[in-house]
Coordinates of all heavy atoms in Angstrom, one line a residue:
M1 N 9.7 10.2 -7.6 CA 8.8 9.3 -7.1 C 8.0 10.0 -5.9 O 8.6 10.7 -5.1 CB 9.5 8.0 -6.6 CG 8.6 6.9 -6.2 SD 9.3 5.2 -6.2 CE 10.5 5.4 -4.8
V2 N 6.7 9.7 -5.8 CA 5.9 10.3 -4.7 C 6.3 9.6 -3.4 O 6.5 8.4 -3.4 CB 4.4 10.1 -5.0 CG1 3.6 10.6 -3.9 CG2 4.1 10.6 -6.4
E3 N 6.3 10.4 -2.3 CA 6.6 9.8 -1.0 C 5.4 8.9 -0.5 O 4.2 9.2 -0.7 CB 6.9 10.9 0.0 CG 8.2 11.6 -0.3 CD 8.6 12.5 0.9 OE1 8.1 12.3 2.0 OE2 9.2 13.5 0.6
I4 N 5.7 7.9 0.3 CA 4.7 7.0 0.8 C 3.7 7.7 1.7 O 2.5 7.4 1.6 CB 5.3 5.8 1.5 CG1 4.2 4.7 1.8 CG2 6.0 6.2 2.8 CD1 4.8 3.4 2.1
R5 N 4.1 8.8 2.5 CA 3.2 9.4 3.3 C 2.1 10.1 2.5 O 0.9 10.2 2.9 CB 3.8 10.4 4.2 CG 4.5 11.6 3.5 CD 5.3 12.4 4.5 NE 6.0 13.5 3.9 CZ 6.2 14.6 4.3 NH1 5.7 14.9 5.6 NH2 6.8 15.5 3.7
E6 N 2.5 10.7 1.3 CA 1.5 11.3 0.4 C 0.6 10.3 -0.1 O -0.7 10.6 -0.3 CB 2.2 12.0 -0.7 CG 3.1 13.1 -0.2 CD 4.0 13.7 -1.4 OE1 3.7 13.6 -2.5 OE2 5.0 14.4 -1.0
R7 N 1.0 9.1 -0.4 CA 0.1 8.1 -1.0 C -0.8 7.6 0.1 O -1.9 7.3 -0.2 CB 0.9 6.9 -1.6 CG 1.6 7.3 -2.9 CD 0.6 7.4 -4.0 NE 1.1 7.9 -5.3 CZ 1.6 7.2 -6.3 NH1 1.7 5.8 -6.2 NH2 2.1 7.7 -7.4
I8 N -0.4 7.5 1.3 CA -1.3 7.0 2.4 C -2.4 8.1 2.6 O -3.5 7.7 2.6 CB -0.5 6.8 3.7 CG1 0.5 5.8 3.7 CG2 -1.5 6.6 4.8 CD1 1.5 5.7 4.8
R9 N -2.0 9.3 2.6 CA -3.0 10.4 2.6 C -4.0 10.3 1.6 O -5.2 10.5 1.7 CB -2.3 11.8 2.7 CG -1.6 12.0 4.0 CD -1.1 13.5 4.0 NE -0.1 13.6 5.1 CZ -0.3 13.9 6.3 NH1 -1.6 13.9 6.6 NH2 0.6 14.0 7.2
E10 N -3.5 10.2 0.4 CA -4.3 10.1 -0.9 C -5.4 9.0 -0.8 O -6.6 9.1 -1.1 CB -3.5 10.1 -2.1 CG -4.4 10.1 -3.4 CD -3.6 10.0 -4.6 OE1 -2.3 10.3 -4.6 OE2 -4.1 9.8 -5.7
A11 N -4.8 7.8 -0.3 CA -5.7 6.6 -0.3 C -6.7 6.8 0.9 O -7.9 6.4 0.7 CB -4.8 5.4 0.0
L12 N -6.3 7.4 1.9 CA -7.3 7.6 3.0 C -8.4 8.5 2.5 O -9.6 8.3 2.8 CB -6.5 8.2 4.3 CG -5.7 7.4 5.1 CD1 -4.9 8.2 6.1 CD2 -6.5 6.3 5.8
A13 N -8.1 9.6 1.9 CA -9.0 10.5 1.3 C -10.0 9.9 0.3 O -11.2 10.0 0.4 CB -8.4 11.8 0.8
T14 N -9.4 9.1 -0.6 CA -10.2 8.4 -1.6 C -11.2 7.4 -1.0 O -12.3 7.3 -1.4 CB -9.2 7.7 -2.6 OG1 -8.3 8.6 -3.2 CG2 -10.0 6.9 -3.6
R15 N -10.7 6.7 0.1 CA -11.6 5.7 0.7 C -12.4 6.3 1.8 O -13.3 5.5 2.4 CB -10.7 4.6 1.3 CG -9.8 4.0 0.4 CD -10.5 3.1 -0.7 NE -9.6 2.4 -1.5 CZ -9.5 2.5 -2.8 NH1 -10.2 3.5 -3.4 NH2 -8.6 1.9 -3.5
G16 N -12.3 7.6 2.1 CA -13.1 8.2 3.2 C -12.7 7.6 4.6 O -13.6 7.5 5.4
M17 N -11.5 7.3 4.7 CA -11.1 6.7 6.0 C -10.1 7.7 6.8 O -9.6 8.7 6.2 CB -10.2 5.5 5.7 CG -11.0 4.3 5.1 SD -9.9 3.0 4.6 CE -9.2 2.4 6.1
T18 N -10.1 7.5 8.1 CA -9.3 8.3 8.9 C -8.0 7.4 9.3 O -8.0 6.2 9.0 CB -10.0 8.7 10.2 OG1 -10.2 7.5 10.9 CG2 -11.3 9.5 10.0
A19 N -7.0 8.1 9.9 CA -5.9 7.3 10.3 C -6.3 6.3 11.4 O -5.7 5.1 11.3 CB -4.9 8.2 10.9
S20 N -7.2 6.6 12.2 CA -7.7 5.7 13.2 C -8.3 4.4 12.5 O -8.2 3.3 12.9 CB -8.7 6.3 14.1 OG -9.2 5.5 15.1
D21 N -9.2 4.6 11.5 CA -9.8 3.6 10.6 C -8.7 2.7 10.1 O -8.8 1.4 10.1 CB -10.6 4.1 9.5 CG -11.8 4.9 9.9 OD1 -12.3 4.7 11.0 OD2 -12.2 5.8 9.1
L22 N -7.6 3.3 9.5 CA -6.5 2.5 9.0 C -5.8 1.6 10.0 O -5.5 0.5 9.8 CB -5.5 3.5 8.3 CG -4.3 2.8 7.6 CD1 -4.7 1.8 6.6 CD2 -3.4 3.9 7.0
S23 N -5.7 2.3 11.2 CA -5.1 1.5 12.3 C -5.9 0.3 12.6 O -5.3 -0.8 12.7 CB -4.9 2.4 13.5 OG -4.5 1.7 14.6
K24 N -7.2 0.4 12.7 CA -8.0 -0.7 13.1 C -8.1 -1.7 12.1 O -7.9 -2.9 12.3 CB -9.5 -0.2 13.3 CG -9.6 0.6 14.6 CD -11.0 1.2 14.7 CE -11.1 2.2 15.9 NZ -12.4 3.0 15.8
K25 N -8.2 -1.3 10.8 CA -8.3 -2.2 9.7 C -7.0 -2.9 9.4 O -7.0 -4.2 8.9 CB -8.8 -1.4 8.4 CG -9.5 -2.3 7.4 CD -10.3 -1.5 6.4 CE -10.9 -2.4 5.4 NZ -11.6 -1.7 4.4
S26 N -5.8 -2.3 9.6 CA -4.6 -2.9 9.2 C -3.9 -3.5 10.4 O -3.0 -4.4 10.2 CB -3.6 -1.8 8.7 OG -3.3 -0.9 9.8
G27 N -4.3 -3.3 11.6 CA -3.7 -3.9 12.8 C -2.4 -3.2 13.2 O -1.7 -3.7 14.0
I28 N -2.1 -2.1 12.6 CA -0.9 -1.2 12.9 C -1.3 -0.1 13.9 O -2.4 0.4 13.8 CB -0.4 -0.6 11.5 CG1 0.0 -1.7 10.6 CG2 0.8 0.4 11.9 CD1 0.3 -1.1 9.2
G29 N -0.5 0.1 14.9 CA -0.8 1.0 16.0 C -1.0 2.4 15.5 O -0.4 2.8 14.5
K30 N -1.8 3.2 16.2 CA -2.1 4.6 15.8 C -0.8 5.4 15.7 O -0.7 6.3 14.9 CB -3.1 5.2 16.8 CG -4.5 4.6 16.6 CD -5.4 5.3 17.6 CE -6.8 4.7 17.6 NZ -7.7 5.4 18.6
G31 N 0.1 5.1 16.7 CA 1.3 5.9 16.8 C 2.2 5.7 15.5 O 2.8 6.6 15.0
S32 N 2.2 4.4 15.1 CA 3.0 4.1 13.9 C 2.4 4.8 12.6 O 3.1 5.4 11.8 CB 3.1 2.6 13.7 OG 3.8 2.0 14.7
I33 N 1.1 4.7 12.6 CA 0.4 5.3 11.4 C 0.7 6.8 11.4 O 1.0 7.5 10.3 CB -1.2 5.1 11.4 CG1 -1.5 3.6 11.3 CG2 -1.9 5.9 10.4 CD1 -1.3 3.0 10.0
S34 N 0.6 7.5 12.6 CA 0.9 8.9 12.7 C 2.4 9.2 12.2 O 2.6 10.2 11.6 CB 0.7 9.3 14.2 OG 1.1 10.6 14.3
K35 N 3.3 8.4 12.6 CA 4.7 8.6 12.2 C 4.8 8.4 10.7 O 5.6 9.2 10.1 CB 5.6 7.6 13.0 CG 5.8 7.9 14.4 CD 6.6 6.9 15.2 CE 6.7 7.2 16.6 NZ 7.4 6.2 17.4
Y36 N 4.1 7.5 10.1 CA 4.2 7.3 8.7 C 3.7 8.5 8.0 O 4.2 9.0 7.0 CB 3.4 6.1 8.2 CG 3.8 4.7 8.8 CD1 2.9 3.7 8.9 CD2 5.1 4.5 9.3 CE1 3.3 2.5 9.5 CE2 5.5 3.3 9.9 CZ 4.6 2.3 10.0 OH 4.9 1.1 10.5
L37 N 2.5 9.1 8.5 CA 1.9 10.2 7.8 C 2.7 11.5 8.0 O 2.6 12.4 7.1 CB 0.5 10.5 8.5 CG -0.6 9.4 8.1 CD1 -1.8 9.5 8.9 CD2 -0.9 9.5 6.6
K38 N 3.5 11.5 9.0 CA 4.3 12.7 9.2 C 5.7 12.5 8.5 O 6.5 13.5 8.5 CB 4.6 12.9 10.8 CG 3.4 13.4 11.5 CD 3.7 13.5 13.0 CE 2.4 13.9 13.7 NZ 2.7 13.8 15.2
G39 N 6.0 11.4 8.0 CA 7.3 11.1 7.3 C 8.4 10.9 8.3 O 9.6 11.0 7.8
L40 N 8.1 10.6 9.6 CA 9.2 10.5 10.6 C 9.8 9.1 10.4 O 11.0 8.8 10.8 CB 8.6 10.7 12.0 CG 8.0 12.1 12.3 CD1 7.4 12.1 13.6 CD2 9.1 13.1 12.2
V41 N 9.0 8.1 9.9 CA 9.3 6.7 9.9 C 8.9 6.2 8.6 O 7.8 6.4 8.1 CB 8.8 5.9 11.1 CG1 9.1 4.4 10.9 CG2 9.3 6.4 12.4
T42 N 9.8 5.4 7.9 CA 9.3 4.7 6.7 C 8.8 3.2 7.1 O 9.5 2.6 7.8 CB 10.5 4.5 5.8 OG1 11.0 5.8 5.4 CG2 10.1 3.8 4.5
P43 N 7.6 3.0 6.7 CA 7.0 1.6 7.1 C 7.9 0.5 6.5 O 8.4 0.6 5.4 CB 5.6 1.7 6.5 CG 5.5 2.8 5.7 CD 6.7 3.7 5.9
K44 N 7.9 -0.6 7.2 CA 8.6 -1.8 6.8 C 7.6 -2.5 5.7 O 6.4 -2.2 5.7 CB 8.8 -2.7 8.0 CG 9.9 -2.2 8.9 CD 10.2 -3.2 10.0 CE 11.2 -2.6 11.0 NZ 11.6 -3.5 12.0
Q45 N 8.2 -3.5 5.0 CA 7.4 -4.1 4.0 C 6.1 -4.8 4.5 O 5.1 -4.7 3.9 CB 8.3 -5.2 3.3 CG 7.6 -5.9 2.1 CD 8.6 -6.8 1.5 OE1 9.7 -6.9 1.8 NE2 8.2 -7.5 0.4
S46 N 6.2 -5.3 5.7 CA 5.0 -6.0 6.3 C 3.9 -4.9 6.5 O 2.7 -5.2 6.2 CB 5.3 -6.8 7.5 OG 5.8 -5.9 8.5
A47 N 4.3 -3.7 7.1 CA 3.3 -2.7 7.3 C 2.7 -2.1 5.9 O 1.5 -1.8 5.9 CB 4.0 -1.6 8.1
I48 N 3.6 -2.0 4.9 CA 3.1 -1.6 3.7 C 2.0 -2.5 3.1 O 1.0 -2.1 2.6 CB 4.3 -1.4 2.7 CG1 5.2 -0.3 3.0 CG2 3.8 -1.2 1.2 CD1 6.5 -0.2 2.3
G49 N 2.3 -3.8 3.2 CA 1.4 -4.8 2.8 C 0.0 -4.7 3.5 O -1.0 -4.8 3.0
S50 N 0.1 -4.6 4.9 CA -1.1 -4.5 5.7 C -1.9 -3.3 5.4 O -3.1 -3.3 5.3 CB -0.7 -4.5 7.2 OG -0.1 -5.6 7.5
M51 N -1.2 -2.1 5.1 CA -1.9 -0.8 4.8 C -2.5 -1.0 3.4 O -3.6 -0.5 3.2 CB -0.9 0.3 4.9 CG -0.6 0.7 6.3 SD 0.3 2.2 6.5 CE 1.9 1.8 5.7
A52 N -1.8 -1.5 2.5 CA -2.3 -1.6 1.1 C -3.5 -2.5 1.1 O -4.5 -2.1 0.4 CB -1.2 -2.3 0.2
K53 N -3.5 -3.5 1.8 CA -4.7 -4.4 1.9 C -5.9 -3.7 2.6 O -7.0 -3.7 2.1 CB -4.4 -5.7 2.7 CG -5.5 -6.6 2.7 CD -5.2 -8.0 3.4 CE -6.3 -8.9 3.4 NZ -5.9 -10.2 4.1
A54 N -5.6 -3.0 3.6 CA -6.7 -2.2 4.4 C -7.2 -1.1 3.5 O -8.4 -0.8 3.6 CB -6.1 -1.6 5.7
L55 N -6.4 -0.5 2.6 CA -6.7 0.6 1.8 C -7.2 0.2 0.4 O -7.7 1.0 -0.3 CB -5.6 1.6 1.7 CG -5.2 2.3 3.0 CD1 -3.9 3.0 2.8 CD2 -6.3 3.4 3.3
D56 N -7.1 -1.1 0.2 CA -7.4 -1.7 -1.1 C -6.7 -1.0 -2.3 O -7.3 -0.5 -3.2 CB -9.0 -1.6 -1.3 CG -9.4 -2.5 -2.5 OD1 -8.8 -3.5 -2.9 OD2 -10.5 -2.1 -3.2
V57 N -5.4 -0.9 -2.1 CA -4.5 -0.4 -3.2 C -3.4 -1.3 -3.4 O -3.1 -2.2 -2.6 CB -4.0 1.0 -2.8 CG1 -5.1 2.0 -2.5 CG2 -3.1 1.0 -1.5
S58 N -2.7 -1.1 -4.5 CA -1.5 -1.8 -4.8 C -0.4 -1.5 -3.8 O -0.1 -0.3 -3.6 CB -1.1 -1.5 -6.2 OG 0.2 -1.9 -6.5
P59 N 0.4 -2.4 -3.3 CA 1.6 -2.1 -2.5 C 2.6 -1.3 -3.3 O 3.2 -0.3 -2.7 CB 2.1 -3.4 -2.1 CG 1.0 -4.4 -2.2 CD 0.2 -3.9 -3.3
A60 N 2.8 -1.5 -4.5 CA 3.7 -0.7 -5.4 C 3.2 0.7 -5.5 O 4.0 1.6 -5.4 CB 3.8 -1.4 -6.7
W61 N 1.9 0.9 -5.7 CA 1.4 2.2 -5.7 C 1.6 3.0 -4.4 O 2.1 4.2 -4.4 CB -0.1 2.2 -6.1 CG -0.6 3.6 -6.1 CD1 -0.7 4.5 -7.2 CD2 -1.3 4.3 -5.1 NE1 -1.3 5.7 -6.9 CE2 -1.6 5.6 -5.5 CE3 -1.6 4.1 -3.7 CZ2 -2.3 6.6 -4.8 CZ3 -2.2 5.0 -3.0 CH2 -2.5 6.2 -3.4
L62 N 1.3 2.3 -3.4 CA 1.5 2.9 -2.1 C 2.9 3.3 -1.8 O 3.2 4.4 -1.1 CB 1.1 1.9 -0.9 CG 0.8 2.5 0.5 CD1 -0.2 3.6 0.5 CD2 0.5 1.4 1.4
M63 N 3.9 2.6 -2.3 CA 5.3 2.9 -2.2 C 5.7 4.1 -3.1 O 6.8 4.5 -3.0 CB 6.2 1.7 -2.4 CG 6.1 0.6 -1.4 SD 7.2 -0.7 -1.5 CE 6.5 -1.5 -3.0
G64 N 4.9 4.5 -3.9 CA 5.2 5.6 -4.8 C 5.5 5.3 -6.2 O 5.8 6.3 -7.0
Y65 N 5.4 4.2 -6.5 CA 5.7 3.8 -7.9 C 4.6 4.2 -8.9 O 3.4 4.4 -8.4 CB 5.9 2.3 -8.1 CG 7.2 1.7 -7.5 CD1 7.2 1.3 -6.2 CD2 8.4 1.9 -8.3 CE1 8.4 0.9 -5.6 CE2 9.6 1.4 -7.7 CZ 9.6 0.9 -6.4 OH 10.8 0.5 -5.8
D66 N 4.9 4.4 -10.2 CA 3.9 4.9 -11.2 C 3.1 3.8 -11.7 O 3.4 3.3 -12.8 CB 4.7 5.7 -12.2 CG 3.7 6.4 -13.2 OD1 2.5 6.5 -12.8 OD2 4.1 6.7 -14.4
V67 N 2.3 3.2 -10.9 CA 1.4 2.0 -11.3 C 0.0 2.3 -10.9 O -0.2 3.3 -10.1 CB 1.9 0.7 -10.6 CG1 3.3 0.4 -11.0 CG2 1.9 0.9 -9.1
P68 N -0.9 1.6 -11.4 CA -2.3 1.9 -11.0 C -2.5 1.8 -9.6 O -1.9 1.0 -8.8 CB -3.1 0.8 -11.7 CG -2.3 0.4 -12.9 CD -0.8 0.5 -12.4
M69 N -3.4 2.6 -9.0 CA -3.7 2.6 -7.6 C -4.3 1.3 -7.1 O -3.9 0.8 -6.1 CB -4.7 3.7 -7.2 CG -5.1 3.9 -5.8 SD -6.4 5.0 -5.5 CE -5.9 5.9 -4.1
K70 N -5.2 0.7 -7.8 CA -5.9 -0.5 -7.5 C -4.9 -1.7 -7.8 O -4.3 -1.7 -8.8 CB -7.1 -0.7 -8.2 CG -7.9 -1.9 -7.9 CD -8.7 -1.7 -6.6 CE -9.6 -2.8 -6.5 NZ -9.7 -3.4 -5.2
S71 N -4.8 -2.6 -6.8 CA -4.0 -3.7 -7.0 C -4.6 -4.6 -8.2 O -5.7 -4.8 -8.3 CB -4.0 -4.6 -5.7 OG -3.2 -5.8 -5.9
T72 N -3.6 -5.3 -8.9 CA -4.0 -6.2 -9.9 C -4.0 -7.6 -9.4 O -4.2 -8.6 -10.2 CB -3.0 -6.1 -11.1 OG1 -1.7 -6.3 -10.6 CG2 -3.1 -4.7 -11.8
L73 N -3.7 -7.7 -8.2 CA -3.7 -9.0 -7.5 C -5.1 -9.5 -7.2 O -6.0 -8.7 -6.8 CB -2.8 -9.1 -6.3 CG -1.4 -8.6 -6.6 CD1 -0.7 -8.6 -5.2 CD2 -0.7 -9.7 -7.5
P74 N -5.4 -10.8 -7.1 CA -6.7 -11.3 -6.7 C -6.9 -11.0 -5.2 O -5.9 -11.0 -4.4 CB -6.6 -12.8 -6.9 CG -5.2 -13.2 -7.1 CD -4.5 -11.9 -7.5
A75 N -8.1 -10.7 -4.8 CA -8.5 -10.4 -3.4 C -8.0 -11.3 -2.5 O -7.6 -11.1 -1.4 CB -10.0 -10.1 -3.3
G76 N -8.0 -12.6 -2.8 CA -7.6 -13.7 -1.8 C -6.2 -14.0 -1.7 O -5.7 -14.8 -1.0
G77 N -5.4 -13.2 -2.5 CA -3.9 -13.5 -2.5 C -3.5 -14.5 -3.5 O -4.2 -14.7 -4.5
F78 N -2.4 -15.2 -3.3 CA -1.9 -16.1 -4.2 C -2.2 -17.5 -3.9 O -2.0 -17.9 -2.8 CB -0.3 -16.0 -4.2 CG 0.2 -14.6 -4.4 CD1 0.9 -14.0 -3.4 CD2 -0.1 -13.8 -5.4 CE1 1.4 -12.7 -3.5 CE2 0.3 -12.5 -5.7 CZ 1.1 -12.0 -4.6
H79 N -2.7 -18.2 -4.8 CA -3.1 -19.7 -4.6 C -2.7 -20.4 -5.9 O -3.3 -20.1 -6.9 CB -4.5 -19.8 -4.3 CG -4.9 -19.1 -3.1 ND1 -4.5 -19.5 -1.8 CD2 -5.6 -18.0 -2.9 CE1 -5.0 -18.6 -0.9 NE2 -5.7 -17.7 -1.6
G80 N -1.7 -21.3 -5.9 CA -1.4 -22.1 -7.0 C -1.1 -21.4 -8.3 O -0.1 -20.8 -8.4
G81 N -2.1 -21.4 -9.2 CA -1.9 -20.9 -10.5 C -1.8 -19.3 -10.5 O -1.6 -18.7 -11.5
D82 N -2.1 -18.7 -9.4 CA -2.1 -17.3 -9.3 C -0.8 -16.6 -9.3 O -0.6 -15.4 -9.2 CB -3.0 -16.7 -8.2 CG -4.4 -17.1 -8.3 OD1 -4.9 -17.3 -9.5 OD2 -5.1 -17.2 -7.2
V83 N 0.2 -17.5 -9.5 CA 1.6 -16.9 -9.4 C 1.9 -15.9 -10.5 O 2.6 -15.0 -10.4 CB 2.7 -18.1 -9.5 CG1 4.1 -17.5 -9.7 CG2 2.6 -19.0 -8.3
T84 N 1.2 -16.1 -11.6 CA 1.2 -15.2 -12.8 C 1.0 -13.7 -12.2 O 1.6 -12.8 -12.7 CB 0.2 -15.5 -13.8 OG1 0.5 -16.8 -14.3 CG2 0.4 -14.5 -15.1
Y85 N 0.0 -13.5 -11.4 CA -0.3 -12.2 -10.9 C 0.8 -11.6 -10.1 O 1.1 -10.5 -10.2 CB -1.5 -12.2 -9.9 CG -2.8 -12.6 -10.6 CD1 -3.4 -13.8 -10.5 CD2 -3.4 -11.6 -11.4 CE1 -4.6 -14.1 -11.1 CE2 -4.6 -11.8 -12.1 CZ -5.2 -13.0 -11.9 OH -6.4 -13.3 -12.6
R86 N 1.5 -12.4 -9.3 CA 2.7 -12.0 -8.6 C 3.8 -11.5 -9.5 O 4.5 -10.5 -9.3 CB 3.2 -13.1 -7.7 CG 4.3 -12.7 -6.7 CD 4.6 -13.7 -5.8 NE 5.3 -13.1 -4.7 CZ 5.7 -13.9 -3.6 NH1 5.6 -15.2 -3.7 NH2 6.5 -13.3 -2.7
V87 N 4.0 -12.3 -10.6 CA 5.1 -12.0 -11.5 C 4.8 -10.7 -12.2 O 5.6 -9.8 -12.3 CB 5.3 -13.1 -12.5 CG1 6.2 -12.7 -13.7 CG2 5.8 -14.4 -11.9
D88 N 3.5 -10.5 -12.6 CA 3.2 -9.2 -13.2 C 3.3 -8.0 -12.3 O 3.8 -6.9 -12.7 CB 1.7 -9.3 -13.7 CG 1.4 -10.1 -14.9 OD1 2.5 -10.5 -15.6 OD2 0.3 -10.6 -15.2
E89 N 3.0 -8.1 -10.9 CA 3.2 -7.1 -10.0 C 4.6 -6.8 -9.8 O 5.0 -5.6 -9.8 CB 2.5 -7.6 -8.7 CG 2.5 -6.5 -7.7 CD 1.3 -5.5 -7.9 OE1 0.5 -5.6 -8.7 OE2 1.3 -4.5 -7.1
M90 N 5.5 -7.8 -9.8 CA 6.9 -7.6 -9.7 C 7.5 -6.9 -10.9 O 8.4 -6.1 -10.8 CB 7.6 -8.9 -9.4 CG 7.3 -9.6 -8.1 SD 7.5 -8.4 -6.7 CE 9.2 -8.3 -6.7
R91 N 7.0 -7.3 -12.1 CA 7.4 -6.5 -13.3 C 7.2 -5.1 -13.2 O 8.0 -4.2 -13.6 CB 6.7 -7.1 -14.6 CG 7.4 -8.3 -15.0 CD 6.8 -8.7 -16.5 NE 7.1 -10.0 -16.8 CZ 6.3 -11.0 -16.9 NH1 5.0 -10.8 -16.9 NH2 6.7 -12.2 -17.2
L92 N 6.0 -4.7 -12.7 CA 5.6 -3.3 -12.5 C 6.6 -2.6 -11.6 O 7.0 -1.4 -11.8 CB 4.2 -3.1 -12.0 CG 3.1 -3.5 -12.9 CD1 1.7 -3.5 -12.1 CD2 3.0 -2.6 -14.0
L93 N 7.1 -3.2 -10.6 CA 8.0 -2.6 -9.7 C 9.4 -2.4 -10.3 O 10.1 -1.5 -10.0 CB 8.3 -3.5 -8.4 CG 7.1 -3.6 -7.4 CD1 7.3 -4.7 -6.4 CD2 6.8 -2.2 -6.8
N94 N 9.7 -3.3 -11.2 CA 11.1 -3.2 -11.8 C 11.2 -2.3 -13.1 O 12.2 -2.0 -13.6 CB 11.5 -4.6 -12.2 CG 11.9 -5.4 -11.0 OD1 12.4 -4.9 -10.1 ND2 11.5 -6.6 -11.0
E95 N 10.0 -1.8 -13.5 CA 9.9 -0.9 -14.7 C 10.3 0.5 -14.4 O 10.2 1.0 -13.3 CB 8.6 -1.0 -15.4 CG 8.3 -2.3 -16.0 CD 7.0 -2.4 -16.7 OE1 6.2 -1.5 -16.6 OE2 6.7 -3.4 -17.3

């Protein structure tokens, strides 16, 4: 499985963003982003979600799973009938 720091770097390059841009867009401190990129610290689930949203990628992809880079979830998140999207995303994590 690919390390999360590699996926963060790949997503930053693909989106033409810097670590500073990611910090601003995700609300995560620059120091924390730096530690993630160096592999010194593994981000918590909430940070992974924030970075995935800021980078417009799937949280599962960001964590190194072999799933599409782009999230299959609706942009607005989960609302009522959208639970199906969540179930599909969880299936990808368990495969």
